[in-house]
Amino acid sequence: MREFDPATLRHVDAHGARYALTDGELAVRVLEHAIVRIAWRPASGYREPRTWAIAPAADVPWSGRERDDAAGFACPPVAVRRQGEDVAIATDALRIAVRGAPLTLQWSDAAGRPLAADRGTSAYFRSARTGAVRHYLARERGERYYGLGDKTGPLDLHGRRLRTLALDSLGYDPERGDPLYKHWPFVLCRTAHGGWYGHYYDTLAACTFDFGCEHDNYHGLYRYVEIDDGDLDYYLIAGATPGEVIARFVRLIGGTHLPPRWSLGYAQTAMGLTDAPDAQAQLSAFVERCRDERVPISAFHFGSGYSSRGARRYVFTWNRDKFPDPRALTAKFRDHGMRLVANVKPCLLDDHPEYAAVRAARGFVHLAATGDVAIDQFWDGVGGHIDFTSPAGIAWWQRGLVEQVLDFGFDAGWNDNNEYGVMDDDARCAGFGTPLPLHRSRPLQSLLMTRASFEAQAAHRPTETPFTVTRAGCPGIQRYAQTWSGDNTTSWATLRWNIRTGLQMSLSGMFNVGHDVGGFAGPVPDAELFVRWVQACCLNPRMVMNSWKEDGTVNVPWLHPQVTPLVNAALALRYRLLPYLWRLFERACAHGEPILRPTFYVWPDDDACYADSDDFMVGDDLLVAPVVTPGANVRRVYMPPAASGWVEYDTGAQHRGGQVIEVASPLARLPLFVRAGARLPLAEPIRAVPTHDDPVREVAFGGAEASTTATTRR
């Protein structure tokens, strides 16, 4: 790689500065007082001239937004002072110092406290051989790094090297596995002195983030980002707290979709049910068992088995041997109060009945050399992936979703297996008229697939709020979809480490998240692990019980009859607190606030809140302390420093903040604490068939007794 040459100052105005390089230009532009964009434009132009992530005021066109478009930003005039080839920029929130030789930037907050700095010895590199670009920053030992989407392990990423490259990661290591399903190049940073900022690298190319794993004696402590054949175009986002940084980032990428209320309820799915040769009978029996066991349930997510012949899957088709009357079955689910979501996949196997038609319409990702379909492995066969940058591909998808899913009584599509793991360097997509290599557009396909499903559903039922789910994607999916941590494996370790992955996604700007309850792959959970998993996930934004077990066992509430009452109790707790969750969803949409939060999000000045922990906040007022070790019946919990202290949700026992306590945690109990003085909106005790609009009562926690207000409606 070669270091960028010294930069020559070309232009200064009230919004920033532009520097000339031997190859192109580097621009530093203030978009908001707390958001600055730094972009290198090579002489030959951007590799990715359009962005689909940046949407500060409205959604981007299907064909993308021009990368230099500043629409939607305030672009305030700020103080810019030139000193030879150097520039000092001052906004209400930031101070930026730019040096031309060597090219380096330094950022401080409005009070002059350092935030971030490029590595002083050399900061920017490019490779003529590979097309990669690299950005080095100085690092301090006390800094903390969070984000990058669905990452595993402890929340603080300091010392790790991670990739943003979406893969189908079935059975991943929940502590060390990387990468998973998302391409999410956003880093939330806490300085050694307690300042906060974020870096977002706006690229669809795969990235490697090194947070201090690498060491080179000549350069001191540093970290770097390497972008694989993409553009160096990044945003620094300042904030006094982690919440301010996250909210500004989420606004930058278009905000968060407010889903329909029914999607907050408990949902069930399982591959084993729809894969069974008598699938319709088994699903019909499932509905009846939910009624008999009085399981509160809001939705059922059909696995792809409705479209399978053996192990092979054929999207937008029905296996009528297994499903002789699908409309009668969907009507039965609806009669029991369940909404329906159908698994859909973007690859057509080469013997799919519509493969030839999509190929003729050029609706597939193709090979540049021949123009033919880019064939790759998929579900016990080979096939082609729908190209969602091709109008023909989009039209085929949306027509199939309507005719074969929505018209059969389903409410939504579940966009699955959409990582686009086609590794052929010759693979291309149409790019809405400007072809894109697939290695720079794989996450874009996931994003646009999700958008295609979302908009088809909105058009099909214009009076209803659309809902969809996606497993893969990049910044922008939160405008349309719910997501989750993918195909996890049943183990106590997964239960524990998935908690952190959910928090990491939340800190990254993905708020509507959850995990496969009970573990998707691997062994069948025993009764204790199953109960603890249900308890740990019962207050996640997404609660879906999902599984695929080799012996055909399905994770369902009555998996272990001896603990079914405990499972139902955890589900009842979710429905009791559903009005509180809905309030948090509304705030997530209106204010960019995560629903799941590490305790340091609420108390960023408390050092104890940064210790690795199994605890998490749901909003500002609920502290959840799930049990994640076998045989435990006592739980040690750190009570964050809430001024008024904490109240145990179920007993009313009170505790002062700023201390570690021990609480009884028998199998029947989820340790749950309410900030003293908080008023929580609670639903009436759940009936077997949720309606999602039951009366709501405001309940105050704390003092000698809990008090309630008059009953209201949601």
Side-chain angles (χ1 to χ4, degrees), residues 416-439:
D416 198 19
N417 294 105
N418 55 344
E419 291 77 28
Y420 276 70
V422 179
M423 296 301 176
D424 193 323
D425 285 341
D426 195 41
R428 296 289 185 275
C429 54
F432 300 100
T434 305
L436 291 167
L438 190 64
H439 71 267

Side-chain angles (χ1 to χ4, degrees), residues 644 646-647 651-654 675-678 700-707:
S644 54
W646 296 89
V647 180
T651 69
Q654 300 197 35
R675 193 202 295 246
F701 287 78
E705 307 180 348
S707 62

Side-chain angles (χ1 to χ4, degrees), residues 538-557:
C538 73
L539 296 178
N540 282 192
R542 166 186 167 98
M543 189 189 183
V544 178
M545 199 174 288
N546 187 19
S547 60
W548 169 68
K549 306 300 181 186
E550 290 189 11
D551 66 357
T553 300
V554 174
N555 290 350
V556 286

Side-chain angles (χ1 to χ4, degrees), residues 585-614:
F585 268 87
E586 290 180 317
R587 291 198 62 83
C589 181
H591 303 291
E593 297 176 355
I595 296 166
L596 299 181
R597 309 168 184 184
T599 54
F600 69 71
Y601 176 95
V602 186
W603 292 275
D605 297 325
D606 182 21
D607 288 343
C609 286
Y610 292 92
D612 186 61
S613 171
D614 303 314

Side-chain angles (χ1 to χ4, degrees), residues 94-105:
L94 281 168
R95 304 288 183 268
I96 307 108
V98 189
R99 292 179 58 198
L103 177 61
T104 55
L105 285 82

Side-chain angles (χ1 to χ4, degrees), residues 188-221:
L188 175 67
C189 308
R190 184 182 189 264
T191 70
H193 62 76
W196 290 93
Y197 67 95
H199 267 142
Y200 172 56
Y201 292 83
D202 186 20
T203 177
L204 292 164
C207 301
T208 299
F209 286 79
D210 189 304
F211 294 111
C213 189
E214 181 177 294
H215 180 75
D216 185 331
N217 181 58
Y218 294 103
H219 298 285
L221 297 179

